Amino acid sequence: MNKDTVVSMWRERFGISEDVFEGFSFFRRGRMIWAFSLPEIPPFRCESIGMRVISMRESPWKPTTYALQLWGRHARKNVIDLNDEMARRFFAGESLELRAQVERGYVVVTHMGSVIGCGLYTPGKLISQLPRERRILDDQNAPEHHAQPGDTQQDGTE
């Protein structure tokens, strides 16, 4: 994948300077773009290399949470900073009703200046794009505990 193309995608959407991507190369396989820190792909057969940074499955392209956690702190536009309560709800995977001065589409979501991950913004709504396995549920939203073999019941029996 042409590095200039990938860098311009990040610059146009998030205002991230080109120098942030110094030392990175990019590889496209199917609809995914991967970043790696070698000048070129090693001459061996591999399924993928590096870290997945962009999904091109849909239009517009979608940055991965990992990529935003790496480069999102350099974003100068399309950033939404959440307060404590909204951040808790975003971490749980909830959609939030809010108005922000950002463009429609994927945004960098932060809390107190630290990048949380990717959100999808439509006017008046922010949809969490955190992968399910990375979400944090509080005790009220946690699934009920189901007995497992070896668990001790309340009365001391198994």
Side-chain angles (χ1 to χ4, degrees), residues 34-107:
W34 302 74
F36 57 100
S37 59
L38 299 173
E40 59 186 46
I41 297 173
F44 54 82
R45 192 173 153 102
C46 60
E47 180 69 24
S48 64
I49 185 168
M51 179 177 74
R52 187 168 52 95
V53 295
I54 296 174
S55 170
M56 298 185 83
R57 290 183 184 163
E58 52 198 66
S59 183
W61 60 276
K62 180 185 179 292
T64 66
T65 293
Y66 293 116
L68 289 179
Q69 289 175 337
L70 179 64
W71 297 317
R73 63 191 161 104
H74 301 286
R76 299 296 170 250
K77 65 181 192 177
N78 294 317
V79 177
I80 296 177
D81 192 60
L82 301 177
N83 63 30
D84 290 346
E85 176 60 21
M86 291 180 136
R88 184 195 63 74
R89 292 177 52 209
F90 185 85
F91 270 121
E94 295 180 29
S95 295
L96 307 172
E97 291 185 24
L98 62 86
R99 295 231 175 258
Q101 296 297 313
V102 297
E103 298 168 5
R104 173 188 297 263
Y106 294 109
V107 296

Side-chain angles (χ1 to χ4, degrees), residues 1 19 22 24 38 43 65 68 74 94 100 108 138 141 158:
M1 181 84 193
D19 62 327
E22 283 297 318
F24 289 97
L38 299 173
T65 293
L68 289 179
H74 301 286
E94 295 180 29
V108 178
D138 61 23
N141 295 326
E158 289 193 316

